[in-house]
Amino acid sequence: MACDTLKQKVKALGNRSKRYNDRVKRYKNNQLYQKNPKQFFRSLEGTTTAQEEPPTAENMHRTWKQIRESEGEHDDTAFWIREAELEANKYTMGEMRITKYDIRTILKKTNNWSAPGPDGIHNYWWKYFDCTHRILANIFQRALTNPSVIPESLTVGITHMLPKGEKSGNPKNYRPITCLSSVYKVLKVLTGVLTLHISRHIGQHNILAREQNGCRRDARGCKELLTVDSLITRQAKRKQRNISMAWIGYKKAFDSIPHSWLLNTLQLYGVSDALIKLLRHLMNSWWTRLHVNINGRTYTTEELQIRRGIFQGDRLSTLWFCLSINFLSKLLNKSHHGYIIEKRHNTKINHQLYIDDLKLYAANEDQLMSQLRVVASFTETIKMEMRLDKCAVVYVKRGKLMQGKGMLVQDGIEIQRLNTEETYKYLGIKQGLEIKTAETKTTFRIKFLNRVNKILQCKLNTKAMVTSINTWAMPYLAYSFGVVK
């Protein structure tokens, strides 16, 4: 009798403890979702599932110091740079005037409680203290003529090192995401307002290549490229045609592109001299600290100066990088090689770009070799490196995938060749000649149901639960619509 009584008490206490923990969990998750949905979804994603111990602070700092502090100069003797200089007069950017309305326009698109930089100030305070907008706009307007009015503290960031996959022992297997001070981000002389004005300049003169979908307005981005790619490969297989394709990946593209080429790109596209002068001044004071938080181990390294590459996590960076490799599209289009989609009107495609993810299309192996040599030459000129383990080629004859060895583009550059059973992950979807439908559908289904289960276990209120499913789970599944049967 006494034993049964004790069991009932233990069970009652256990249920009471469970109800308490559920209530605390429900309260915390609802509060976090209301204040910062991105952080809430990041906590569900569980990105820090590394199985290896992270490198020491000294090793991390030493490795990335070699990458970011080694100054590189592009080769200014390339013939296509001379041709671009002759055409630079076609692009003339008007005088830039920063107003409080520019500040307000950009602030509307920012997240109130996104991670702040070293200053610790969130976007919320800059957004709703609108009395500061006019004063800050005037300060940064003066900076266009006198960049020294900007204190160097604004360009000091904190870089969060996110591991790529489970192998976190190598410092190079990390993706650096930099958080700058809110003033630097909010005023957008470099990131927002500057991006806005440069985007207008690019749109007015139609500068960005039509093959680049990374920064194009009113485009579907990755999904659009995957849809086009799917139509091309299906046609080649169904009509038993010849096609040669190559996937190209770059080694630490954002972190290795030289500052000299970034600035030269802006000059070649007619960007205002005042903006280039301001950017040059700010680039000379780019500093950051590396922050690691994995498996309960947290540390921040000493400062290192960024003399090569641009910030990941900064708005201007993506547009600036796309402009810096925009000349590659022009060189490839001038070669007149490519896969003919429709012969009657000579509709042809030879490449697609999503920021730095490049895919080439050619009618045969010789054309593909010529295109790859153009890519290798351009890459060497701007002092970047192709990541050969992320590159691949495939040859199709009469709709069938051909076996064989890799392609030797030039000395030291040999690209692997995909065989029948091998796949390449392009824009998040595995493919060979065509998308591996069964495998891809299984991957999407498992990931989608996993996200839904995580949301249901968080005990959100009804509105937050439905909204979070539509925001976080459904887009992952919708990404496959129109691409995967």
Side-chain angles (χ1 to χ4, degrees):
M1 187 66 179
C3 184
D4 291 339
T5 302
L6 289 175
K7 287 181 179 180
Q8 291 176 5
K9 288 184 177 180
V10 169
K11 186 176 181 179
L13 288 173
N15 290 333
R16 184 178 177 183
S17 177
K18 183 177 181 299
R19 289 195 301 272
Y20 173 79
N21 291 331
D22 289 344
R23 184 165 64 86
V24 171
K25 181 179 180 180
R26 181 168 58 249
Y27 175 80
K28 288 183 176 179
N29 286 335
N30 278 282
Q31 288 293 312
L32 180 59
Y33 180 79
Q34 293 297 327
K35 291 182 177 180
N36 193 343
K38 280 189 176 182
Q39 187 176 342
F40 171 75
F41 295 137
R42 195 177 297 120
S43 67
L44 295 183
E45 190 69 47
T47 55
T48 57
T49 56
Q51 294 182 352
E52 298 180 359
E53 284 295 319
T56 62
E58 294 77 13
N59 191 13
M60 179 70 77
H61 182 267
R62 181 172 59 253
T63 301
W64 282 88
K65 184 175 182 178
Q66 294 174 353
I67 297 173
R68 304 308 295 266
E69 290 194 356
S70 59
E71 292 188 58
E73 294 285 337
H74 70 281
D75 182 7
D76 200 47
T77 62
F79 74 91
W80 53 269
I81 296 181
R82 302 284 79 80
E83 294 177 355
E85 289 174 348
L86 296 176
E87 298 179 358
N89 294 330
K90 296 191 305 183
Y91 315 116
T92 303
M93 186 175 181
E95 182 181 357
M96 180 175 171
R97 181 69 185 175
I98 301 175
T99 67
K100 64 179 182 180
Y101 301 106
D102 292 328
I103 306 297
R104 193 172 300 165
T105 300
I106 296 299
L107 282 171
K108 286 182 180 178
K109 303 176 182 179
T110 60
N111 295 314
N112 290 342
W113 306 107
S114 62
D119 59 1
I121 302 176
H122 291 86
N123 292 332
Y124 173 87
W125 306 108
W126 295 108
K127 182 183 292 188
Y128 293 106
F129 282 123
D130 53 4
C131 59
T132 63
H133 297 174
R134 179 178 57 81
I135 298 172
L136 293 173
N138 291 336
I139 292 174
F140 280 85
Q141 182 64 40
R142 293 203 307 270
L144 291 175
T145 56
N146 182 19
S148 61
V149 302
I150 300 179
E152 293 186 359
S153 60
L154 291 187
T155 52
V156 177
I158 181 74
T159 300
H160 296 268
M161 309 300 290
L162 305 180
K164 297 179 181 180
E166 298 177 350
K167 296 181 179 180
S168 58
N170 187 348
K172 293 184 178 180
N173 290 338
Y174 285 77
R175 179 180 291 107
I177 303 297
T178 302
C179 293
L180 299 164
S181 66
S182 293
V183 175
Y184 184 84
K185 291 189 293 184
V186 166
L187 295 182
K188 310 303 180 189
V189 174
L190 273 176
T191 55
V193 172
L194 182 55
T195 303
L196 182 65
H197 285 266
I198 292 180
S199 296
R200 290 172 182 169
H201 174 65
I202 291 171
Q204 180 182 356
H205 296 281
N206 197 25
I207 291 174
L208 204 61
R210 60 185 176 83
E211 291 83 4
Q212 175 63 266
N213 251 35
C215 295
R216 184 175 298 282
R217 290 186 176 183
D218 303 322
R220 300 292 295 178
C222 295
K223 190 167 182 178
E224 183 175 322
L225 298 184
L226 286 169
T227 304
V228 173
D229 179 73
S230 178
L231 292 173
I232 292 172
T233 53
R234 287 177 190 173
Q235 183 199 63
K237 185 176 182 179
R238 186 178 65 254
K239 295 187 176 182
Q240 298 183 356
R241 296 182 57 186
N242 297 344
I243 185 173
S244 297
M245 299 179 291
W247 297 269
I248 305 297
Y250 284 102
K251 184 184 295 183
K252 298 196 176 299
F254 272 64
D255 306 315
S256 61
I257 190 163
H259 287 180
S260 64
W261 176 240
L262 289 169
L263 294 171
N264 196 16
T265 297
L266 298 180
Q267 293 174 344
L268 294 175
Y269 284 129
V271 175
S272 168
D273 291 337
L275 294 183
I276 297 176
K277 181 181 178 182
L278 176 60
L279 285 169
R280 182 181 288 109
H281 172 80
L282 293 175
M283 290 170 80
N284 291 330
S285 59
W286 279 356
W287 290 81
T288 190
R289 292 184 176 91
L290 309 180
H291 179 76
V292 176
N293 183 10
I294 300 177
N295 298 335
R297 184 175 177 183
T298 305
Y299 62 79
T300 302
T301 69
E302 298 178 358
E303 285 187 349
L304 59 87
Q305 187 171 8
I306 299 177
R307 297 179 178 176
R308 190 185 184 105
I310 45 184
F311 290 123
Q312 291 197 46
D314 181 42
R315 264 187 204 183
L316 178 59
S317 295
T318 305
L319 178 61
W320 202 353
F321 181 84
C322 289
L323 284 177
S324 68
I325 64 171
N326 194 53
F327 294 100
L328 176 58
S329 293
K330 187 174 182 179
L331 292 173
L332 289 171
N333 289 329
K334 285 179 65 177
S335 68
H336 301 296
H337 296 321
Y339 174 77
I340 298 177
I341 302 173
E342 205 274 327
K343 295 182 179 180
R344 184 172 55 184
H345 297 95
N346 196 30
T347 305
K348 185 186 296 184
I349 184 172
N350 63 10
H351 75 285
Q352 291 193 122
L353 259 173
Y354 186 79
I355 306 178
D356 63 331
D357 286 321
L358 172 64
K359 186 169 184 178
L360 303 174
Y361 303 88
N364 52 55
E365 296 182 24
D366 292 336
Q367 286 191 10
L368 185 63
M369 173 65 81
S370 177
Q371 289 178 327
L372 286 170
R373 285 174 177 166
V374 170
V375 174
S377 176
F378 175 83
T379 303
E380 174 62 25
T381 299
I382 64 173
K383 301 304 176 186
M384 289 177 58
E385 291 184 54
M386 295 165 59
R387 185 176 171 183
L388 297 181
D389 62 329
K390 293 288 290 183
C391 300
V393 296
V394 64
Y395 305 127
V396 178
K397 288 188 177 181
R398 295 185 178 181
K400 293 184 178 181
L401 197 65
M402 304 301 294
Q403 306 275 0
K405 297 181 180 179
M407 175 179 282
L408 182 63
V409 180
Q410 62 185 41
D411 292 341
I413 300 181
E414 182 177 0
I415 299 180
Q416 62 178 328
R417 184 170 179 170
L418 290 187
N419 293 318
T420 308
E421 301 300 326
E422 295 178 319
T423 60
Y424 185 96
K425 192 173 184 180
Y426 175 60
L427 302 180
I429 292 184
K430 292 183 178 181
Q431 57 180 214
L433 168 58
E434 290 186 295
I435 294 172
K436 304 296 183 181
T437 304
E439 181 180 349
T440 303
K441 287 172 68 174
T442 301
T443 302
F444 273 98
R445 182 172 62 251
I446 293 174
K447 185 74 173 181
F448 169 72
L449 294 177
N450 185 39
R451 288 191 172 190
V452 172
N453 287 331
K454 286 183 177 180
I455 292 173
L456 296 179
Q457 292 170 7
C458 287
K459 302 185 181 301
L460 298 174
N461 60 58
T462 304
K463 181 181 179 180
M465 180 181 64
V466 174
T467 305
S468 60
I469 289 176
N470 292 335
T471 303
W472 192 56
M474 281 303 300
Y476 185 84
L477 192 63
Y479 182 66
S480 66
F481 295 169
V483 178
V484 182
K485 285 186 178 180

